[in-house]
Every structure is written in C-alpha cells, then in structure tokens.
Amino acid sequence: MQIKKLFIYLLLPVAFVNCKGQPEYTFLPQNLKFDLTPFLFRNYTPLELATLSDSDYNLNQSGLITGSKLSRFLSNWNTNKPNYANGNLIVFQIQTSGSSGRFVFFDAKQTFAYPVSNLNDLLSETRDDGVLAVDGIVGKGKKISDFFALYGIDPAVDYVVFAQDTSNLTNLSSATYAYYSLLYWGFPKERLAVLNGSIADLTATNTLFTTPSYNYANSNRAGTTKTLFRDHTALQLNIGDLIHSLKNGNSIFEEVDPLPNEGFFIIDGRPSAAYSGTTNSSASGSKYTNCTTKTNSSFVNNTCVTTFEGRIKSAVNLIPTDLYDGTSFQYKSFTQLGTFLNQTGYPDQKLIYLYGEEGQRASIVWFALHQILGKPTRFYEAGWKQFGALGLRSPTSGSSPSAITQPASYWRTDLSALAETITSNADANVPNYQLDFTRQFIKSSSKIRTEDKSFLRGSSTGTDSAGGGPTGGGGNACGG
C-alpha cells in the first residue's frame, strides 16, 4: 500500500501541469488517464456530514435557508453565491398537490428552476437489504445519476435548493427527503439547501420575486456522484446494525458496523400514538382490503399493516409535529428545536439512530437533528415498516403467514430484547409476505450498502446513463 501511495504522489506534479486549459471541474484521474478511484475515495462519518445551523437562519449559506437568502442568490448568483459553489443554482419547486401558479424567476444561464410533482419517485425505489425489501428507500446510483442528467445537474460544482411550492406536510417531507437522498449519494452538504417556507407564502410577503408563467430551460449538462470520491453511505442504518447495537455487539451478524465508541441513542420520529403502540402506524381503512390474499415480495406502503405495533427497545419519542409550524410548515426556531431534543434526554455527542414509519416522513425529523442541530445521526430508512413486519405470527385458519414463521429466526423483532409495547395486529390485516427459510437465517442485511459502495467505486454491474462533460470534485487537483 505504501508503494501505491508513493506512486500517486510522484504523479501529482504531472496532474498539475496538465491542469492548464482544463475546466475547473476536471479531476485527477482524467488527467492521468487511469483509474485512481480506490485510492481517492473518502468515507465520511455522520458527524462530518452534520450541519450546525446558525441560530439566525438568515445567516445560513446552506442547509436550512430563508426566503431572503434565496432571493439574494437568485438576484445575482454570480456575485452572491457562496464561495464553495462554482457552478449553477438549481431550485426544485415541489408541487405534490397542485401548483400555486407562482414560479421563481431564473435567468436560464446560471440559475434554473424546475416545478416537479413526483420528486420521491425520481429519487427512491423499492430496495432489498437481503432480509426484507421495502419501498421508499433512497434510489440506486443509476437512478440518482439519471436524475442529475434529467435536470442538468453537475454535483461537482452546482448548488441545489429544494423548496415547497405551497405549504403542506407532503411538500416539506419531499424536500427534506430529497436533500437526504443527494447527501447520501455524496453531494456535499455545503451545496445543498432546503427553503424554510413555501414559494407561495414567501411571494405573498414580498420576500421572493416570482412570475405567473414558467418557461422550461435546462443547462444540458450533468455529472455523476462517482467522480466526487465521497462515500456518505454511513448515513444509512440497516436492521443488522440496529439489532447488533441493541444486543450490545453480541450478535452473529456479518458485515455490521461496530458499536459506536460514543454510544448510541435511539429516537422514534413517529406520532405519539404510533410510538405508544396504540394505533396502526402502517395503514388504515380501505388498505385492509383482502390482506390475507396479498402476496408481497416486499412490504409496500399502504398495503395492509405490519405484524405488530410498538417501538424499538429504549427508543424515545421526538414528535414530528413539534418541529414545524402547522400552517406555514416552516421549521421552528433553532432554540425551540434544541429544547425539544433536550426533552428527550439526549446525551450530547452520542450517535443518534433515527427511525420513523418510513423514510420520507421521518426525513423531517432527520433534517432537524442532522442538518439544523448538527447532531451525528444515522437514519434507519426502512423504519417501522420493516422492523414491525418481522414479528412471528402463527396464523389462524384462513389467514396468511407473517414474514417470520421460524421462532428462532435471526431477524425476529417481536422480542423483549428488541421491542417494547408489543401489540399484535389482527391476522386478517397482515399480508402474506412470508420470507423463505434462507432469508430468515441469513446473517447479513448489508446488501444495499454493498451495492451502493460498488456503484460509487465503479465496480457495479449496472451502467451509469448520465451524460455531459467531464466532472469531478473530491479529488480535483486543479481547484474548484
């Protein structure tokens, strides 16, 4: 390994010489004409990826930004952009329930804006961790690269803002989940932002200049997260890591992360009724129709309910509706958010394990913890949809088996060592998503992590469809 490092150092002067006349985002391996990816990648920790907001949100350059900051960016991006942003400004105006009829003004040269109604579909998909597949997990590398290509984004230099079009919970959660998705795939936190408030409300208060018409424009360039040389996959917590920690490191699982030296603290980001196990967190009403005849290869949102309700052992509740204003859907003040976290009993510096019912809704809590309060946080995206599905149930006549049918399964979660306030759901409301025998005794749930690390390093069997010119970032020897 020392010889390989010495070889790289000897070639660095060549790279700098070749920088002359190259774009600022041309990166080292392109100049050297061979692949140094394995040597240049850096694994980032949740603490390194956290953002501590200014107590005055108006002073933030990224993370949670205000309407006045976005207005300043849009008015003259070349002059007012942050020092670390060398590319374009791209604003996503999230419209999940109809348009406000107002659109941010952009110049189509250095600033671009896109109304989008299906952001979650563009960034997430059903993914299999080796135990039980769940929908709504951050998409594979190709899906994210396709997203960059579709909207002309170069992740090596561009700055991206996710903004609600009108103020509602779905738009806010779409914004925070999109932020998480890009951060997970290596996009630097210094060039990502969520707008605090909606385009409609900020227009009404004359904070943002908008127009009633929209003309599509695209920069016609794109990049891929592969050339950032940043591995942010430590943000995602899988069920193996979680159970291994709950068992104090005494599991037989393979490919799990060791217990954090600083200790861990579990936060349940669901409403209080779901946390207490007194209501079905997974589905209701018509979603129960014909559950026993449904056969799912994965536990899909809005399809019946989990095997049992309750919460993960030792988890404390951070109620999502406490964190934002229910009318404007703006995050509450920095001081208020800190107070709500302190009320959970959180010991500062411990690594937070966060989960909710599923990733999108829980991302509102994740963003408050990780990108406003700056606390090191790992996100169990599969959440209660997966954890609660892995309970043992011996079905009565005419009903269907649960995912776990073997009492000794490694992944059985309805045990006092792993869960609290355990309340079984009615057999008729649980679908037939039985795991085969092999999966019930598999020793690893790291399939997603393995796939994503392979994609980042170019060893994935999938292809990356993103086009455009050469891009770079983390290993850029020419600056930028």
Side-chain angles (χ1 to χ4, degrees), residues 45-48 258-265 346-353 375-378:
T45 67
L47 181 58
E48 290 174 315
L259 293 177
N261 293 329
E262 67 274 27
F264 64 92
F265 187 78
Y346 171 67
D348 201 32
Q349 303 306 316
K350 277 197 174 184
L351 181 61
I352 294 173
Y353 291 171
K375 304 303 180 184
T377 305
R378 294 188 70 189

Side-chain angles (χ1 to χ4, degrees), residues 106-113 215-219:
F106 60 93
D107 63 18
K109 297 178 182 178
Q110 290 186 308
T111 60
F112 299 84
N215 295 312
Y216 174 82
N218 191 294
S219 68

Side-chain angles (χ1 to χ4, degrees), residues 267-326:
I267 291 181
D268 183 318
R270 296 177 297 166
S272 56
Y275 170 78
S276 64
T278 59
T279 188
N280 296 127
S281 62
S282 317
S284 62
S286 61
K287 299 169 187 175
Y288 293 132
T289 304
N290 300 321
C291 284
T292 57
T293 63
K294 292 179 179 177
T295 302
N296 300 328
S297 59
S298 61
F299 192 81
V300 180
N301 195 26
N302 297 336
T303 306
C304 310
V305 297
T306 54
T307 304
F308 72 100
E309 302 298 334
R311 61 176 175 264
I312 295 174
K313 184 79 171 182
S314 78
V316 300
N317 197 198
L318 185 58
I319 301 170
T321 52
D322 286 343
L323 307 180
Y324 56 84
D325 181 275

Side-chain angles (χ1 to χ4, degrees), residues 46 49 108 135 145 187 198 239 315 460:
L49 297 172
D135 70 322
S145 292
F187 211 107
S198 70
I239 192 169
S460 172

Side-chain angles (χ1 to χ4, degrees), residues 209-230:
F209 177 68
T210 61
T211 69
S213 60
Y214 176 77
N215 295 312
Y216 174 82
N218 191 294
S219 68
N220 295 316
R221 64 182 177 84
T224 169
T225 58
K226 288 183 180 181
T227 55
L228 294 172
F229 307 115
R230 302 169 66 101

Side-chain angles (χ1 to χ4, degrees), residues 229-251:
F229 307 115
R230 302 169 66 101
D231 187 330
H232 295 182
T233 57
L235 285 177
Q236 191 179 75
L237 181 73
N238 64 47
I239 192 169
D241 293 333
L242 176 59
I243 294 177
H244 186 70
S245 293
L246 289 168
K247 291 186 174 181
N248 199 32
N250 298 315
S251 77

